[in-house]
Amino acid sequence: MNQPVQGLVVREQSGFFTVEVADGRLYTCRLRGRLLEDAQSSDIAAIGDQVNISTADDGTGAIEEVLPRKSALSRAVRTTGVRGAGQAEREQVIIANADQAIFVFAATQPTPNFKLLDRFLVAGEASDIEHLIIVVNKIDLESQDIVTKRFEPYVKMGYPILYTSAILEQGVMDLRDLLKDRISVFTGPSGVGKSSLLNQIQPDLGRAVKAVSANSGEGIHTTRDSALIKLENGGYIADTPGIRSLTVWDVEPDELDAYFVDIAAHLHECRFADCTHTNEPRCGVRAAVEAGAISEHRYRNYLDLRDELKETYVVY
Ligand code: GDP
Ligand code: ZN
């Protein structure tokens, strides 16, 4: 074995990690045995992690250490293993250390699914990803006034919005600049034009990203396959299916309000510290909705997501 070197986990497939080191070389690694024990309750390594590996000349290696993460997009998955009272929860890390998450929607065809966008934003806020960016594609199909109005609440919340048309090649340069030298989550519902945009940025990029997504299942027992796709101009992007269906995530119902940034801004106006913003007297959040400071659809989505989370947390 040679001296340990630092590298980036660019692929995870069935317990094998592909690690890219500074000179661009790739090593297929296993987790060192003593790290495996910790892996029972949480993923010890995931794509995006910086790791120290010991390498052999045949291109294999072992992950000796996972360096501290600055962010982790994760979800809670239930396992069948018996722990404590028979309830076991495991943290599945979808991607570590993403610099930004880019959520792509269409101006129309399909109509933007704001509930999904709100889910994405909550997941992004909860995972400490520094930049959360919204891309609105297919602007060639809808009047700019309508589109601007629809996304206005998100602009007010401070989220950057990039308007694009993959067909007319509008906004594509800006998107390319945005992706450069960063690790990006790039996701959104199907049919909004993600592949088309990526293909404009780099030939065949859309296909490469889709191939990884298609390989990977949603469940706990399916084989995991996730990867960071390297960009020619520097940087990496990932779209793993785990990101798309954040039906179970690592947020408790009572902390959800903190991740709706427009709602969070009014929490200090609630009379009760544990206010759920449903029927309590002197609720600053409901007052803000009535005054138009928080949009009604955001408030409704908050209530819906809270109910969903409550169910999720009660089931097991
Ligand atoms: P994905 O599922 O998000 O990867 O979406 P695709 O890139 O496969 O695009 C879905 C459909 O929308 C295809 O028929 C594309 O040609 C079309 N499409 C993609 N971007 C645009 C756009 O900016 N404007 C219009 N009018 N159509 C687009
Ligand atoms: Zn309240």
Side-chain angles (χ1 to χ4, degrees):
M1 285 283 174
N2 306 318
Q3 276 293 314
V5 284
Q6 192 176 329
L8 171 72
V9 177
V10 293
R11 181 164 208 135
E12 178 189 357
Q13 196 171 22
S14 316
F16 286 94
F17 300 88
T18 307
V19 177
E20 183 183 328
V21 300
D23 65 7
R25 236 182 302 177
L26 300 173
Y27 291 93
T28 305
C29 302
R30 284 282 207 182
L31 278 178
R32 180 60 82 202
R34 66 189 145 72
L35 292 178
L36 278 173
E37 193 156 311
D38 299 333
Q40 302 297 319
S41 59
S42 173
D43 287 333
I44 292 306
I47 55 169
D49 266 321
Q50 288 288 336
V51 293
N52 285 329
I53 60 170
S54 48
T55 62
D57 293 331
D58 64 358
T60 64
I63 296 178
E64 303 289 345
E65 185 187 9
V66 180
L67 302 180
R69 291 175 179 148
K70 58 178 187 174
S71 73
L73 182 63
S74 58
R75 59 177 184 167
V77 290
R78 256 166 282 150
T79 65
T80 46
V82 180
R83 204 211 299 154
Q87 303 168 356
E89 190 187 310
R90 193 170 177 284
E91 182 190 24
Q92 191 175 73
V93 178
I94 297 166
I95 180 170
N97 301 324
D99 297 304
Q100 60 189 2
I102 299 175
F103 305 124
V104 189
F105 287 82
T108 185
Q109 297 178 34
T111 311
N113 178 345
F114 287 107
K115 196 165 164 186
L116 183 63
L117 174 56
D118 291 344
R119 238 180 237 281
F120 283 157
L121 292 172
V122 166
E125 295 288 350
S127 62
D128 286 333
I129 296 177
E130 197 176 342
H131 304 283
L132 305 179
I133 297 151
I134 301 167
V135 167
V136 182
N137 187 41
K138 305 200 190 185
I139 51 163
D140 54 290
L141 296 179
E142 186 63 281
S143 95
Q144 184 65 48
D145 283 355
I146 293 175
V147 180
T148 310
K149 202 159 171 36
R150 275 194 186 144
F151 284 90
E152 193 180 70
Y154 299 92
V155 176
K156 275 199 200 152
M157 283 174 236
Y159 293 115
I161 300 191
L162 178 62
Y163 295 100
T164 62
S165 167
I167 298 272
L168 301 182
E169 292 187 42
Q170 277 178 22
V172 171
M173 294 282 261
D174 294 330
L175 185 57
R176 187 183 287 130
D177 288 347
L178 212 57
L179 293 171
K180 190 174 161 44
D181 294 335
R182 288 175 164 177
I183 296 181
S184 308
V185 169
F186 190 83
T187 195
S190 75
V192 298
K194 294 184 302 299
S195 299
S196 308
L197 284 170
L198 293 177
N199 287 339
Q200 293 280 6
I201 284 168
Q202 184 176 312
D204 241 14
L205 183 59
R207 192 198 48 78
V209 172
K210 222 170 215 169
V212 172
S213 296
N215 264 344
S216 192
E218 292 284 339
I220 348 166
H221 298 298
T222 49
T223 314
R224 281 190 72 191
D225 183 3
S226 54
L228 293 177
I229 310 286
K230 197 170 186 164
L231 300 170
E232 284 164 3
N233 294 334
Y236 298 85
I237 61 169
D239 173 13
T240 79
I243 302 166
R244 290 206 207 171
S245 73
L246 287 159
T247 45
V248 186
W249 70 58
D250 213 7
V251 172
E252 290 181 31
D254 290 342
E255 60 181 23
L256 182 64
D257 51 13
Y259 300 124
F260 271 74
V261 296
D262 44 353
I263 290 178
H266 294 276
L267 294 180
H268 66 280
E269 294 156 19
C270 294
R271 171 76 179 78
F272 302 106
D274 59 352
C275 187
T276 64
H277 327 301
T278 50
N279 48 27
E280 291 89 346
R282 295 175 60 190
C283 168
V285 170
R286 277 187 304 143
V289 175
E290 273 156 39
I294 295 173
S295 88
E296 290 201 15
H297 90 250
R298 283 278 293 179
Y299 177 63
R300 270 199 311 277
N301 287 349
Y302 161 75
L303 294 178
D304 285 355
L305 289 179
R306 192 172 189 284
D307 283 346
E308 261 179 45
L309 287 178
K310 268 186 349 206
E311 278 170 29
T312 312
Y313 271 78
V314 167
V315 173
Y316 58 96

